[in-house]
Amino acid sequence: MSLTALALCSRALLRLGAQPIASLTEGTAEAEVAANLYPGIRDALISAHPWSFATGQAALPRLTAVPVADYAYAFQLPAGFLRVLSAGQAGRGRGIPYRINEGKLHADAEAVTLTYIFRPDESAFPPFFATALVARLAAEFCLPLTESASRSEVLFRLAEQELRQARLVDSQQDTPRAIEGFPLVDIRG
């Protein structure tokens, strides 16, 4: 089954013990809670970790308007942008100072390569992330639908365990970065 917002919300409702929904606009309490809470929870969970499936790089287009102070250039952020990981130039994804201000990236470099977290389509979610998201959705949906604080607490603890497991799995999909430019190592020669 292809992952969609509807499928993820229905799985969370089933995990909660509620009825699954056929549409996010069907007018039931479950659909209303899911439609209102899902986008924010999804974006918060994606933004909370540099997930391999939601990390991208882009050469940013420079804007004609310049920042008022501190930096020389302003750049347009990519579509679906959620959070910056680093900025660089000349074929490197990190290494330059920058600031996000009013939805633009400000820097002194004439060209910027941005490494960032973006909002992927639900169909791109790997199983480990989808499981963590469903667990978090169930925990968030619990209080408005069941009014059970104790059940909600248990679901939040389970969601945290799922998130830790998902981060562990995702972290194994990249070569660990070596320490660069550490003064104590450099002194040894």
Side-chain angles (χ1 to χ4, degrees), residues 68-145:
V68 174
D70 300 329
Y71 291 100
Y73 303 103
F75 297 88
Q76 181 65 49
L77 294 170
F81 168 85
L82 292 175
R83 179 170 74 99
V84 172
L85 295 175
S86 63
Q89 62 182 351
R92 292 189 49 87
R94 61 180 189 274
I96 65 167
Y98 66 89
R99 176 176 49 219
I100 301 296
N101 199 0
E102 296 179 348
K104 298 172 194 71
L105 183 133
H106 294 177
D108 285 330
E110 291 186 23
V112 172
T113 300
L114 184 71
T115 304
Y116 65 104
I117 302 292
F118 64 91
R119 182 184 307 107
D121 188 69
E122 282 85 357
S123 63
F125 292 171
F128 59 84
F129 180 79
T131 301
L133 179 57
V134 166
R136 181 61 184 260
L137 289 170
E140 294 280 355
F141 293 175
C142 184
L143 204 52
L145 292 174

Side-chain angles (χ1 to χ4, degrees), residues 3-180:
L3 285 180
T4 62
L6 177 63
L8 292 164
C9 289
S10 287
R11 286 182 190 176
L13 289 165
L14 284 171
R15 192 167 180 169
L16 182 60
Q19 291 297 314
I21 54 177
S23 165
L24 290 171
T25 58
E26 70 184 24
T28 63
E30 289 85 355
E32 245 183 81
V33 167
N36 285 303
L37 295 181
Y38 174 77
I41 295 166
R42 175 203 57 211
D43 288 354
L45 206 59
I46 292 171
S47 298
H49 178 75
W51 303 103
S52 59
F53 67 91
T55 301
Q57 288 188 317
L60 299 182
R62 193 168 74 196
L63 301 170
T64 54
V66 296
V68 174
D70 300 329
Y71 291 100
Y73 303 103
F75 297 88
Q76 181 65 49
L77 294 170
F81 168 85
L82 292 175
R83 179 170 74 99
V84 172
L85 295 175
S86 63
Q89 62 182 351
R92 292 189 49 87
R94 61 180 189 274
I96 65 167
Y98 66 89
R99 176 176 49 219
I100 301 296
N101 199 0
E102 296 179 348
K104 298 172 194 71
L105 183 133
H106 294 177
D108 285 330
E110 291 186 23
V112 172
T113 300
L114 184 71
T115 304
Y116 65 104
I117 302 292
F118 64 91
R119 182 184 307 107
D121 188 69
E122 282 85 357
S123 63
F125 292 171
F128 59 84
F129 180 79
T131 301
L133 179 57
V134 166
R136 181 61 184 260
L137 289 170
E140 294 280 355
F141 293 175
C142 184
L143 204 52
L145 292 174
T146 68
E147 298 181 6
S148 172
S150 60
R151 190 173 187 187
S152 179
E153 287 176 27
V154 169
L155 288 171
F156 271 108
R157 281 196 299 274
L158 291 172
E160 282 302 312
Q161 289 173 358
E162 291 286 351
L163 183 59
R164 276 194 299 278
Q165 182 64 30
R167 285 179 174 162
L168 176 65
V169 171
D170 188 67
S171 69
Q172 296 170 358
Q173 299 193 69
D174 191 10
T175 304
R177 284 203 307 206
I179 297 173
E180 295 177 15

